[in-house]
Amino acid sequence: MTAPAPFGPLQFQLVLLRRMADHQPDLVEDARLELSASLAEMREANRRWQAMLRAPRGRGTLRRYRSVLGEPESSVRRTVGDLECDALLWPLPLWPDLRFEVMAGPGGAVWNEWLVRAPGAAGPGLRTAADLSPWSCTVDEVARAFAPARPMEGSAPTRWALAFTDPATPGGRPRVAEFTWGLFQRLLPDGP
């Protein structure tokens, strides 16, 4: 029996895709084929990732990301409220204009992990809900475009939702945008 391939950026992208498949199976299928990965490889990557998360003596979250993705492309010190944290960014080939961001607080505790726009990359022009298309924008971009957007709890881990008012509709129709790993997936049919 051969040892499994090292768990690296390819397998990590398959993990991200696995969660996105619930809302965008066609986009996930195209991305999986672009990565030349089989369904079995995607399932195996997810199984191995879940095992790493649940390992009793596994690496801490930040160390896990470093072991899987290597050293970050960049690290920026940020202040969030009264606390300072580090934002570590990794490129992922599937999304060249995005970066996987891990926000780590004092002692390396991970506060957040998701896809964000790469520094210097142009984001989409978002004026109305009609401008939102799957995988085109991030949580932060939608929150800024439709301020004051209200964060909502997602339907599963790694999912987020934002409630906002669509300025293109009479009286401002309430809408909810859903995200997986920080990347826009879909608009819910009805507002909150």
Side-chain angles (χ1 to χ4, degrees), residues 171-182:
R173 178 180 174 199
R175 301 303 306 258
V176 173
E178 284 194 323
F179 303 82
T180 302
W181 290 106

Side-chain angles (χ1 to χ4, degrees), residues 4-180:
F7 198 99
L10 168 65
Q11 291 77 16
F12 183 69
Q13 289 173 104
L14 293 173
V15 168
L16 300 184
L17 289 173
R18 174 59 199 94
R19 181 59 79 181
M20 292 179 192
D22 295 339
H23 297 310
Q24 294 299 328
D26 293 339
L27 287 175
V28 167
E29 179 68 7
D30 291 345
R32 184 181 62 74
L33 294 173
E34 183 180 328
L35 293 173
S36 300
S38 68
L39 280 172
E41 288 170 316
M42 189 162 81
R43 283 191 297 270
E44 177 62 11
N46 193 61
R47 186 198 65 74
R48 289 177 64 194
W49 180 255
Q50 294 302 320
M52 282 190 270
L53 294 178
R54 290 171 175 73
R57 288 186 224 157
R59 298 178 177 112
T61 306
L62 187 54
R63 286 186 59 211
R64 183 181 323 112
Y65 283 118
R66 286 180 184 274
S67 73
V68 168
L69 299 173
E71 284 304 307
E73 176 181 80
S74 64
S75 178
V76 179
R77 195 83 162 148
R78 290 194 192 149
T79 301
V80 179
D82 294 338
L83 299 172
E84 284 195 359
C85 63
D86 293 311
L88 294 88
L89 299 172
W90 285 271
L92 295 174
L94 268 179
W95 299 284
D97 289 343
L98 301 176
R99 295 296 180 264
F100 190 76
E101 178 185 75
V102 173
M103 299 284 286
V110 171
W111 295 346
N112 197 27
E113 50 216 317
W114 60 9
L115 292 162
V116 297
R117 187 69 50 196
L126 303 175
R127 292 171 301 287
T128 71
D131 296 326
L132 299 173
S133 60
W135 294 17
S136 68
C137 51
T138 64
V139 171
D140 185 51
E141 291 167 336
V142 173
R144 280 194 317 262
F146 300 106
R150 182 173 51 91
M152 300 172 65
E153 190 171 324
S155 59
T158 73
R159 291 195 181 147
W160 294 266
L162 285 177
F164 66 94
T165 301
D166 185 355
T169 58
R173 178 180 174 199
R175 301 303 306 258
V176 173
E178 284 194 323
F179 303 82
T180 302

